[in-house]
Amino acid sequence: MTDAPQPVLAYWRKAFAGCQPDDPAEVSYAISDTLNPKRPVMILEKVDGSVCAAIRPEVADRAGVGFADRLSIEGFKARLEGAGIILHDPDCLFYRGNGAAFLPRADKAIPVRRIAEDDRRVFEAFLAEASEQDKEDAWVELDHWAVFGCFDGMRLVSAASAYLWTDSPMADLGVLTLPEARGRGYARAVVQAISGFARSHGYEPQYRCQLDNHPSIGLAKACDLTMFGTWTVAVDQNGP
């Protein structure tokens, strides 16, 4: 059984209403008019092998997908492609284990604190040192719900931010560390700090990264987070 806090499981069950996500023997589908028309399909492939797919009704009609279909996930994706639906690369989803507490920060000697508007110059200097690709992958922003940073002296070298997913119990995390500061415990410290902050305010930290981002996956595991599955959304080339 996939391990995740109950609020997280409840959120995904609601998001895929009509699916049977706990049955790893087959793919389950839901046709839902609540999906954003700009992202009319989403797929959740959990680590236990179960797969849920949700699709807007007008897109299901165009792709020839119905409740009675018993398509494999590969067959489903093929029909989407034929209907002009382009799937983004999947994101790995990590959460704390159900009932698990975050461990104390491994190295309390690393200075970590919350970053605020007064730190804008320091934060902008930090971003200026990062590559465009790293910034795009991390999406760490000063105007997010919460931002925490690690310092080497007066210099910000690692930062994590979190924004709240609409109508969900999750705070979605991003983390960015300057290349020369990697491997020194900064990223782990800042992720643990912002995760604890989110939990103290009633939100479950959600850590996302691409499947091929092996250092980021390693960081999630080092922060005692457990992989829940992969989440894929789609863009309709013929949509609004």
Side-chain angles (χ1 to χ4, degrees):
M1 181 176 180
T2 306
D3 192 22
Q6 288 302 317
V8 171
L9 295 176
Y11 170 81
W12 287 114
R13 288 192 185 105
K14 182 178 179 181
F16 288 91
C19 290
Q20 299 295 322
D22 294 322
D23 181 2
E26 62 182 35
V27 180
S28 297
Y29 300 96
I31 297 177
S32 171
D33 60 6
T34 63
L35 292 174
N36 186 331
K38 294 182 179 180
R39 296 185 294 276
V41 180
M42 62 178 180
I43 302 168
L44 182 65
E45 300 180 62
K46 294 165 67 177
V47 294
D48 65 5
S50 61
V51 182
C52 286
I55 183 170
R56 286 189 60 85
E58 69 276 14
V59 177
D61 289 343
R62 201 169 81 227
V65 175
F67 277 115
D69 289 333
R70 301 186 65 83
L71 295 171
S72 67
I73 191 61
E74 291 79 12
F76 177 66
K77 291 177 179 179
R79 289 199 186 182
L80 294 179
E81 183 178 357
I85 307 298
I86 305 302
L87 293 171
H88 288 294
D89 291 335
D91 281 345
C92 297
L93 297 173
F94 287 86
Y95 304 102
R96 69 185 180 93
N98 185 31
F102 284 102
L103 296 178
R105 285 205 295 121
D107 189 350
K108 294 185 178 180
I110 297 176
V112 184
R113 67 172 175 84
R114 193 169 183 187
I115 305 297
E117 179 61 32
D118 291 346
D119 300 299
R120 180 165 292 277
R121 285 188 178 180
V122 173
F123 188 80
E124 289 179 348
F126 163 71
L127 291 182
E129 293 190 67
S131 72
E132 292 302 318
Q133 187 62 59
D134 285 348
K135 286 186 284 190
E136 181 180 342
D137 291 343
W139 197 38
V140 173
E141 302 287 347
L142 188 60
D143 61 356
H144 281 172
W145 172 69
V147 188
F148 279 74
C150 285
F151 291 80
D152 183 1
M154 299 296 293
R155 180 175 171 239
L156 181 63
V157 294
S158 182
S161 68
Y163 72 96
L164 304 181
W165 268 27
T166 304
D167 300 324
S168 88
M170 281 101 79
D172 193 74
L173 310 182
V175 58
L176 176 63
T177 304
L178 297 179
E180 67 272 22
R182 294 171 187 169
R184 298 166 59 184
Y186 291 119
R188 181 180 180 186
V190 79
V191 168
Q192 287 181 318
I194 201 168
S195 295
F197 178 84
R199 286 278 297 144
S200 72
H201 285 74
Y203 295 98
E204 290 294 341
Q206 174 175 269
Y207 186 107
R208 284 187 300 135
C209 64
Q210 293 286 292
L211 272 170
D212 60 355
N213 192 337
H214 302 296
S216 191
I217 290 173
L219 173 60
K221 293 177 179 178
C223 292
D224 307 305
L225 298 173
T226 300
M227 188 167 169
F228 178 72
T230 61
W231 177 63
T232 307
V233 296
V235 173
D236 185 357
Q237 291 186 321
N238 302 311

